[in-house]
Amino acid sequence: MLNSIHWRGSVAAMGRLDKYTIEPGADLKGADLKSADLKRADLTGANLLGANLLGANLSAANLHGAGLSGADLSGAILTGADLTGAWLSGANLSGANLSGANLTGADLTGAYLRSAYLRGADLTGADLRGANLRSANLSDANLRGADLKGADLRGANLSDANLINADLTGAELSCAVLRGAFLNGAPLHGADLTDADLTDANLHGANLHGAWLVVADLRGANLSGAFLTGANLGGADLRGADLSDAYLGSANLTNADLTGANLTGAIIPDGTVHK
């Protein structure tokens, strides 16, 4: 089934196409599909373990439930692709374009997504434990309920992303941009948010116990009811932030700017309730 399958590049590359059948459930384990044009291809449930898809065009392709663990998808185009329930553990997606892709429930544990473009992608409930998302663009992405424990998101753009109930325990988020992001109820204990931009972010009820928020920008952020016990907010900018009913016991607020912040009902570092 080779409908609409083309190759960019050399005649030698085109010759490799004869080796493979592109269809749902195809066994393409370890296949060399470098630079292949697989736009809109139906590879539902296909076995692409360890395949070479470097620079391949998989835009709008159906990869629902496909096995892509260990595959090389660096620089691949996956815009609007269906990757629901796909297995991408340990896959290389560095620099890949996944804007608007559906990765609901996908397994991306330990995947390498450095500088990947995931704007508007749907990663609801995806497993991203230990994934490398450094400098990735996840603006407007839906990461609701995603598992990001121990993920590397340093310098990532998560502006306006939906991270409600996403698990960011121990995640690396230093210098990340989370302007206007929704982090309601998210577990962030032990996360490193040093110098992160959280202006106008919604962290209502978030668990930031022991989190590192040194010199973080939290202007106008909603931290009402948040758990900040033992958190390090040294030098943080909290001007105009809502800290009502927040738990700040044992938190470090040295040199933090709380000008105009709402601390009504908050338990401040000395254990007393602010009135």
Side-chain angles (χ1 to χ4, degrees), residues 31-252:
D32 184 1
L33 293 161
K34 179 181 177 181
S35 299
D37 189 343
L38 294 158
K39 186 176 181 179
R40 296 192 180 89
D42 188 351
L43 286 159
T44 306
N47 180 357
L48 287 150
L49 303 178
N52 181 5
L53 288 151
L54 187 151
N57 184 356
L58 286 150
S59 55
N62 189 345
L63 289 152
H64 172 77
L68 288 149
S69 297
D72 186 355
L73 288 145
S74 52
I77 302 169
L78 289 142
T79 52
D82 182 357
L83 287 148
T84 53
W87 302 338
L88 289 144
S89 58
N92 183 357
L93 289 143
S94 59
N97 187 343
L98 290 134
S99 59
N102 189 346
L103 290 138
T104 301
D107 182 354
L108 288 146
T109 52
Y112 191 76
L113 290 137
R114 185 162 182 166
S115 299
Y117 190 75
L118 290 136
R119 184 181 178 90
D122 191 348
L123 290 135
T124 304
D127 192 343
L128 289 145
R129 286 173 298 164
N132 187 332
L133 289 146
R134 193 168 182 175
S135 301
N137 188 335
L138 288 145
S139 54
D140 296 307
N142 187 356
L143 289 141
R144 189 179 187 115
D147 193 342
L148 288 146
K149 287 195 288 284
D152 186 351
L153 288 147
R154 286 175 289 177
N157 183 356
L158 289 145
S159 299
D160 300 310
N162 182 350
L163 288 147
I164 295 173
N165 295 323
D167 194 339
L168 288 146
T169 302
E172 296 279 348
L173 287 149
S174 58
C175 299
V177 179
L178 292 130
R179 286 191 298 265
F182 298 89
L183 290 141
N184 316 47
L188 284 144
H189 41 280
D192 185 358
L193 289 143
T194 301
D195 204 20
D197 183 351
L198 288 145
T199 51
D200 299 317
N202 192 336
L203 290 139
H204 171 72
N207 186 346
L208 288 145
H209 172 72
W212 203 260
L213 289 144
V214 176
V215 299
D217 192 343
L218 287 146
R219 287 174 296 166
N222 182 358
L223 287 150
S224 58
F227 294 86
L228 289 148
T229 51
N232 191 341
L233 289 144
D237 192 343
L238 288 148
R239 286 176 289 172
D242 184 357
L243 287 151
S244 57
D245 300 315
Y247 297 84
L248 289 152
S250 303
N252 177 14

